[in-house]
Amino acid sequence: MRRILINDITLRDGEQSPGVNFFPEEKLEIAKRLRAMGVPIIEAGFAAASESDWNGINLIARELGADDAAPVICSMCRANEKDIAAAHEALRPARRPRIQVVLSTSDLHMKYKLQITREQALEIADRTVRYARSLVEDVEFAAEDATRTDLDFLLKVFEVAVKAGARTIEIPDTVGFATPIDYTTIVSATVERVKLAGGAIVATHCHDDLGLAAANTLAGIAAGAGQAEVTVNGIGERAGNAALEEVVMALRTRPTIFDADTGIDVGGITAISKLVSKLSRMAVAPNKAIVGYNAFRHESGIHQHGMLVNSLTYQIIEPSDVGAEPFNLVIGKLSGKHALKSKIESLGLDVSNAGFDKVYREFKDLAAKKKLLMDEDIVNLVTKVLGETAGRKTSVETSLG
Ligand code: MN
């Protein structure tokens, strides 16, 4: 199996989510969990962006990045000497510092944002990667807006960056414009060109503007990328980045498709999702893959019946594998007899078959009228239909005993 390196960018791109500000101590708390899960690369921030960012990177480099087994700690930089020098300073305590140099390469960005020509871009890429390499061994080069860059020119820039010493070549789909079809083309061509230029790991970096970030990341991995840049809960600029939990679990759930693994301890996924949600103050949508509240809950009768017989019928991930609660049957108007009976029993009630049919009829009436049925509603229904003492399985003696 191929090993795919996870570069978690929650603390950098994730922090660029509108309204999110991680304090340095909070970044350290998240980074500790990432390290505990075995994430090999942590992009801790953008050193030149603010004093707080510099402090966060430096704190992580000192507290978490200084020993022999430490993960790679990375800072993003624009392609200029000042940013690179700031990153180098912040990363000084790290055992494995990485400097990431980002330069826009699409005609649109070069003309309107940077006001540079293609020739100037090639010169800047060469000069800044060489400068970064004079400071650290591990340099990553990213071509911002790569997926809207002329492909021949993009490959030329990547060739220059590899020859200047970049060890990782990142292909950002900065605005979430790519589909798995064109991202595959770009990654395949890059893998080939990078090999000819002397070799480097190719990295994905995908945004979710069209809801394709995880799909594009997986397409990139299938096309030969060896590193995936992801964030916990998929937070990030605008619609966010590819979600760590989605990419990692897709590779793990479908090994015959990708023949690739991340080596991440997925048991920490639920806990880190909750931590990032709390510190970013960004709620996770209930229907979010893997970490959403409903990810392992079932309400329709057909599915509930299947789940009660064998959970493989409607569930492809064992919740405990990602540190989540066991699957949960939600009782509502679509629930069938099997689920209601199992629910009633789980509440410590015991009803005869004849009694149950009466309860089930009343339940269907009640469920149609309520948005949400709570456990108390079920208890009240059973006692209303069958009488106050009906079916209480747990007697005083047994509960004392
Ligand atoms: Mn980004």
Side-chain angles (χ1 to χ4, degrees), residues 28 83 89 176 257 311:
L28 181 63
D83 277 20
E89 261 325 296
I257 301 282
S311 66

Side-chain angles (χ1 to χ4, degrees), residues 12-13 174 205 207 237 241:
R12 202 277 297 165
D13 209 319
T174 304
H205 178 113
H207 279 272
E237 296 267 8
N241 289 80

Side-chain angles (χ1 to χ4, degrees), residues 9 12-14 16 43 76 144 170 172-175 205-207 229 236-238 240-241:
I9 58 172
R12 202 277 297 165
D13 209 319
Q16 289 174 216
E43 192 166 311
M76 192 190 88
E144 192 181 356
E170 176 196 328
D173 184 24
T174 304
V175 290
H205 178 113
C206 299
H207 279 272
E229 307 201 344
E237 296 267 8
R238 306 177 312 281
N241 289 80

Side-chain angles (χ1 to χ4, degrees), residues 7 9 12-14 140 143 145-147 170-180 182-184 186-187 202-221 225 227-231 234-244 246-247:
N7 178 4
I9 58 172
R12 202 277 297 165
D13 209 319
E140 174 169 335
D145 208 19
T147 54
E170 176 196 328
I171 310 173
D173 184 24
T174 304
V175 290
F177 177 70
T179 70
D182 42 329
Y183 202 63
T184 297
I186 298 168
V187 174
V202 172
T204 64
H205 178 113
C206 299
H207 279 272
D208 211 30
D209 298 69
L210 293 173
L212 294 172
N216 288 337
T217 300
L218 294 168
I221 289 168
Q227 178 183 308
E229 307 201 344
V230 294
T231 62
I235 67 170
E237 296 267 8
R238 306 177 312 281
N241 289 80
L244 176 144
E246 294 175 16
V247 171

